[in-house]
Structure formats: structure tokens, C-alpha cells
Amino acid sequence: MPETPWWKQRVIYQIYPMSFCDSNGDGIGDLRGILSKLDYLKSLGVGALWLSPVYCSPNEDNGYDISDYCNIHENYGTLADMDELIAEAAQRDIKIIMDLVINHTSNQHEWFQKSRRRIAPYTDYYIWQKGEPGKKPSNWGSFFGEDCWAYDELRGEYYLHLFAKGQPDLNYHNDAVIEAVENVMRFWLARGVAGFRCDVINILYKDSLKNGRWKPALTGSEHYISTDGTHQLLNRFRREVFEPYNCYTVGETVFVTPQMADDLVNPSRAELDCVFSFEHMETDCHFVKWFLRKFSPDRFFDTLTKWQTSLDWNTVYFENHDQPRSVSRFGDDGAFHNQSAKALATLLLTLRGTPFLFEGQEIGMTNFDYPDMAKVRDVESINIWNLTGRLHLPQSLRWKMIKTKSRDNARTPMQWNDTVNGGFSTGKPWLSVNGNYPLFNVEQQLRDQGSVLQYYQALIAYRNQSPVLQAGSFAPLYRQNGVYAYARTFGGETLRVVINLTAEAKPSPFEGKAIFSSYNKAEVDGTLAPYEAAILRG
Ligand code: ISL
Ligand code: CA
């Protein structure tokens, strides 16, 4: 029997370095800040950290636009700090996962600067197309609601950028590009990194640049979502790089069905280990996140069941740096803040798969509280704000879209204590801290036995030694009017989980002694209170 891989046993914690902890008062989180919190992370029980990008970058898209893959942005520290972080984390048996952003680079990257000047071997590193200014090569759309073709005066050609203008897409029809990114991966693996979170990894290989079928968003995507070329690339990366280093890979994969996800993670195909699918995160919108739809717990549960039952193993996540805060979105960040955050914790840590926790989720951090655009920093939010203005959408609707879906909701600084800026920084934070930091912060929750944080600590500790939660099979038991129940079974032992994800009392599908309860109750009786969740033995 092959040994169970570590990523099937551990809980993984995502750090958004810019917003985690600032050690030197410049208002920007950094590596020494992360180092200072390793003991906290250990006490939370997480076994690996995924760092959003810390490489050199002009930060048009907060580091997802990389200008040097093999160096650390001066805001975050140095390569020596990074080596220290890897070593100090290893001391605590915590692994480090880096963000691998290889669909595109920054337009400030040396490769791009040489490519636009047609300097060999970089001439064809990017996706260049002939065309006159004002006459775009095709009708494709970008992820950030703007054009995806930009005209470069110097070269006299268009380049493709599926994200921001400063993020030109690399050309994976070019073997030199493939080798260059493989060297980047080896550089980090040799330094002791345990894996990669692979940014938009299922769109690398564009199999045509022709016009696409018109869609409300992302026209052209049929030419690049999970193409055969991408599958071949991932298989090559696996054989040539991941396998020799025993590297864990989790792909961020946009617009995948369970079948497409299985094609990416099925061990028989030797590509990725896991993916982040999006379908459960799209249960409060129509097609794209900006077309708002009321959150329906039942739709959410059905989507979870669909994915739990169609893949043998996958990730489980409700938050990341691109998504609103889960307690504000799927729970209740007012009257039932505590219970609903715990109900979501119960779901996250008891479904089958690798749980990913995003910084601040463990204290129930909420969406930002800004009254208008003045404090919003995210490039995507700013683009959408401008676009909806050009389309003359009503002001109130535009703000509602930003307020509910802006990526800055999750990016506000981590709330450590009730001192100035929530203890994140002694300087002026790059993004404003949420005003509720005196109410929700780590220090306060470490003192309060009934806190969301202590619930996470206890449940992660339980999961860390529970074969049933780590490896057990999943079987749905009940789904009705916002109540969900399922069983996890391993080696003849069963745990049942029940969750009421509504603000009303609901009949419970079963009763019994609880080993975990979002109300700290010893028993589940015939009625579930609002946002009551519990784990029962047997
Ligand atoms: O957040 C989104 C837009 O609302 C998603 O469509 C997101 O753009 C998509 O999931 C890709 O995200 C990843 O790549 C982007 C980067 O901006 C995101 O932060 C990253 O998670 C480009 O590198
Ligand atoms: Ca700093």
C-alpha cells in the first residue's frame, strides 16, 4: 500500500502576504511578519502554508503579475528571509507552497521587454498578432472586464492578455518558454518548497486565436479552457519536474466540470494532484460573479454533493483572496456571526478532501466596511466600476456589485488584536483595516473559549488525528430547506454531520450526542437552531 500523501492528511492555510503581518511599519505585510506568526499557525493546527505571490512585481494585480520569478519583492524581504521561512516552518513540520503564475508574466518582466524589441530568444515568448491600431485581432474578452488585446507601439503588434493589460500571456507553443518555466519551478523546489498552487493552470495552451462564439463574458474561452495542449503540458511538467521533487500541485482551474477536473487530477493521467473548482462559489451569481443572485444554501449543498460524489479526492474551500468572506456571503455576519462562522468551519473540515483555510477565516473576518470606491484598490474592481459606469448602470447597483463581490473584501489586513490597525501594522496599511477589528481579532478569540478561533483549533486538532475525517468515504444523507447532512465512514467507524445554514430554526433529520456543535451543545435534538451545525458519532 502506498503511503497516504501528506496533502490528504493536512489542513492548508493560505496567506495573502500583503495583508498578513507587517514587521517594519511600511504598511505592507512581509516575510518577517509571517515568520513571527509561525507559532500561531502551528497552534491553529495547519500543516502547510500557501503563499500568494511574493516575487518581484509592479503589483498591477498584487503580485499575480511577476517581473522576476526567482527573486523576492523588496516589500516582502529577501531570498534569505524566504529560506529562513522555509526552514523555520519545517522546524514546526509545516510545509510551504508557492503560487506559480505561469499563464502570464508582468509586462515589466525582462522576457516581455526583450520580446517587444524582438530580441532572441524572447521574440516569440508571448502571443503576438499583427493588426493595426484600433483593429483587434479577435473578439475575445478578458477576465477583468476589459479588452484582452493591447497594441504595443514598439513592436507594432498586438499582444494577448487574458487578465490586466500588464499581464501578457506566455506562448506555450514555444518550447523555450516551457523550458524557462520549468527552470523557475526547479529553482523553488530546490530551495525546499513542497508544492505549487498553479494559477489559472487550465488555460495555458491556446489552440486557436480565432474569433470565439459570443458569450456574456469570456468570448473565445472555448479556444483555451482545458485544451489537449494544456493536458500534454501538465503531463510533461509532472514527469520532468513535479515527480522528481515529489512536488504537490493544486491547480486553480476556471470553468471546469467534474469530468474536466477528473481529467486533470486522475492519477492515471499524471497531471495535477488537486484542483480548485469554482461551481460552489458560483451559486450566488449567474454565469459570472457580477450578475448577482441571492445565495441559496440548497444550491450550494447540491453543488458540494455533486463534486464530493464525482471525484475521488479534491480540495474543499470557501474563501481565498479572490472571493468575498464566507461568513458574510454564506453565513450571517450580524446576529449569528459566531454560530454561522462555526457552521461553515464544520462544513469545511468535515467534507472529504483537502481543506484550504484563508487567513482571517479562522476568526470569522467579514467583508470590508467601506462606504464608497475611495478605499478600493483591486484592479478588477476598478475596471468593473469603470465599465459599468460606461454602460450607465445605476450607481446603487454598481456599488452593490462591488460591495458584495470585490476581491478587496478578503484582502483587508489580518486582525490580530485591538490596537491600532488591528495590530497588522504600525504604519498606514496599504488597504484599510475593517473597522470591526476591536470585535473580531486573534488575541480576543484566544481568550474567549466560545470563539470561532477556538472552534477551528479544536476541530482541526480533531481532524488531524481522525482517520474518518481524513480518509473516510462521503455519503449524502439529507438536504432540505437549507439543512444538509452527510456521513463519513472509515474502517467501520462513522461520523454524521448536520448543518442548518439558515437564520431560522429547522427540523433536524436526526438526534443524538454531539462531539462538536456550533452552539456548544451536548446533544442535537429535534430542532436545529439558526446556523446550528454538529458532528455526531455513529
Ligand atoms: O477573481 C476572479 C475574477 O472575479 C477570477 O475570475 C480570477 O480572475 C480567476 O480565478 C483567476 O485568478 C487568479 O489569476 C488572476 C489573479 O488576479 C487572481 O488573483 C488569481 O487567483 C490572474 O493571475
Ligand atoms: Ca512591511
Side-chain angles (χ1 to χ4, degrees), residues 22-30 75:
D22 173 20
S23 72
N24 62 353
D26 65 358
I28 304 167
D30 45 54
N75 286 348

Side-chain angles (χ1 to χ4, degrees), residues 11-78:
V11 176
I12 304 181
Y13 185 94
Q14 181 191 355
I15 291 183
Y16 197 64
M18 216 175 255
S19 298
F20 190 62
C21 180
D22 173 20
S23 72
N24 62 353
D26 65 358
I28 304 167
D30 45 54
L31 295 178
R32 302 223 71 84
I34 300 174
L35 270 158
S36 74
K37 299 297 183 186
L38 283 179
D39 289 330
Y40 163 72
L41 294 165
K42 184 69 191 171
S43 73
L44 181 57
V46 299
L49 306 175
W50 147 31
L51 306 191
S52 275
V54 288
Y55 317 95
C56 298
S57 165
N59 284 338
E60 180 173 344
D61 187 21
N62 288 6
Y64 284 89
D65 47 328
I66 298 171
S67 55
D68 182 354
Y69 286 99
C70 298
N71 222 326
I72 299 291
H73 195 301
E74 59 183 9
N75 286 348
Y76 300 125
T78 61

Side-chain angles (χ1 to χ4, degrees), residues 61 64-65 101 104 143-144 163 167 197 199-200 252 254 278 289-290 320-323 380 407 411:
D61 187 21
Y64 284 89
D65 47 328
V101 188
H104 43 268
F143 280 72
F144 289 164
F163 293 89
Q167 292 171 300
R197 175 270 186 187
D199 193 66
V200 288
E252 187 214 23
V254 286
F278 282 71
K289 71 186 208 180
W290 303 108
N320 62 39
H321 64 293
D322 291 336
Q323 301 286 342
E380 183 198 44
R407 305 193 297 182
R411 298 178 180 184

Side-chain angles (χ1 to χ4, degrees), residues 234-522:
L234 293 175
N235 177 262
R236 168 171 169 179
F237 290 158
R238 173 103 171 201
R239 280 182 287 108
E240 294 184 355
V241 185
F242 303 151
E243 221 135 70
Y245 285 92
N246 198 15
C247 168
Y248 167 62
T249 52
V250 49
E252 187 214 23
T253 49
V254 286
F255 299 106
V256 290
T257 61
Q259 181 56 54
M260 289 157 87
D262 191 55
D263 287 344
L264 290 159
V265 301
N266 199 308
S268 67
R269 296 175 52 108
E271 296 182 23
L272 301 168
D273 292 317
C274 294
V275 299
F276 290 121
S277 62
F278 282 71
E279 200 177 338
H280 65 294
M281 302 300 259
E282 287 159 356
T283 50
D284 62 352
C285 67
H286 295 282
F287 193 63
V288 283
K289 71 186 208 180
W290 303 108
F291 303 140
L292 308 177
R293 167 156 77 152
K294 191 173 175 321
F295 172 64
S296 145
D298 284 348
R299 198 157 50 225
F300 186 62
F301 295 146
D302 287 345
T303 311
L304 292 173
T305 301
K306 171 176 160 188
W307 281 82
Q308 287 277 306
T309 51
S310 47
L311 288 181
D312 175 56
W313 189 271
N314 202 16
T315 61
V316 184
Y317 78 97
F318 303 142
E319 285 188 26
N320 62 39
H321 64 293
D322 291 336
Q323 301 286 342
R325 289 291 185 177
S326 60
V327 70
S328 301
R329 184 182 190 184
F330 306 136
D332 177 336
D333 60 11
F336 297 107
H337 177 274
N338 179 287
Q339 295 85 354
S340 68
K342 289 177 184 171
L344 289 164
T346 312
L347 192 58
L348 181 77
L349 293 161
T350 62
L351 286 169
R352 181 177 160 85
T354 306
F356 277 75
L357 192 58
F358 178 66
E359 64 177 46
Q361 189 175 356
E362 76 273 31
I363 55 168
M365 276 179 63
T366 64
N367 281 351
F368 70 62
D369 55 353
Y370 317 147
D372 52 48
M373 278 303 282
K375 289 183 168 171
V376 174
R377 295 284 169 270
D378 177 31
V379 58
E380 183 198 44
S381 296
I382 293 167
N383 282 349
I384 291 293
W385 178 256
N386 293 338
L387 175 72
T388 51
R390 288 197 297 276
L391 296 173
H392 302 291
L393 262 58
Q395 197 80 348
S396 58
L397 175 61
R398 290 170 71 201
W399 180 239
K400 188 175 174 202
M401 289 163 79
I402 299 291
K403 182 97 180 136
T404 41
K405 288 297 176 72
S406 170
R407 305 193 297 182
D408 279 352
N409 279 310
R411 298 178 180 184
T412 63
M414 181 72 182
Q415 297 167 199
W416 294 104
N417 55 44
D418 62 7
T419 66
V420 66
N421 298 326
F424 161 71
S425 170
T426 54
K428 185 173 160 22
W430 72 277
L431 183 69
S432 295
V433 180
N434 191 308
N436 63 18
Y437 73 82
L439 200 58
F440 306 125
N441 65 68
V442 170
E443 245 174 60
Q444 184 272 331
Q445 295 200 15
L446 285 173
R447 283 192 302 267
D448 170 9
Q449 279 225 326
S451 67
V452 175
L453 178 55
Q454 297 210 18
Y455 190 81
Y456 266 103
Q457 285 179 322
L459 190 46
I460 293 174
Y462 184 84
R463 190 188 189 282
N464 283 347
Q465 51 77 54
S466 165
V468 181
L469 288 187
Q470 285 178 12
S473 60
F474 168 91
L477 297 175
Y478 182 87
R479 200 282 284 145
Q480 199 81 324
N481 300 324
V483 175
Y484 190 39
Y486 48 89
R488 301 287 312 276
T489 304
F490 184 84
E493 204 192 315
T494 294
L495 292 174
R496 280 180 302 165
V497 180
V498 62
I499 290 157
N500 173 10
L501 205 57
T502 75
E504 290 120 49
K506 291 282 162 74
S508 178
F510 41 71
E511 305 180 17
K513 237 174 87 64
I515 53 171
F516 278 89
S517 154
S518 63
Y519 277 79
N520 199 23
K521 290 183 186 169

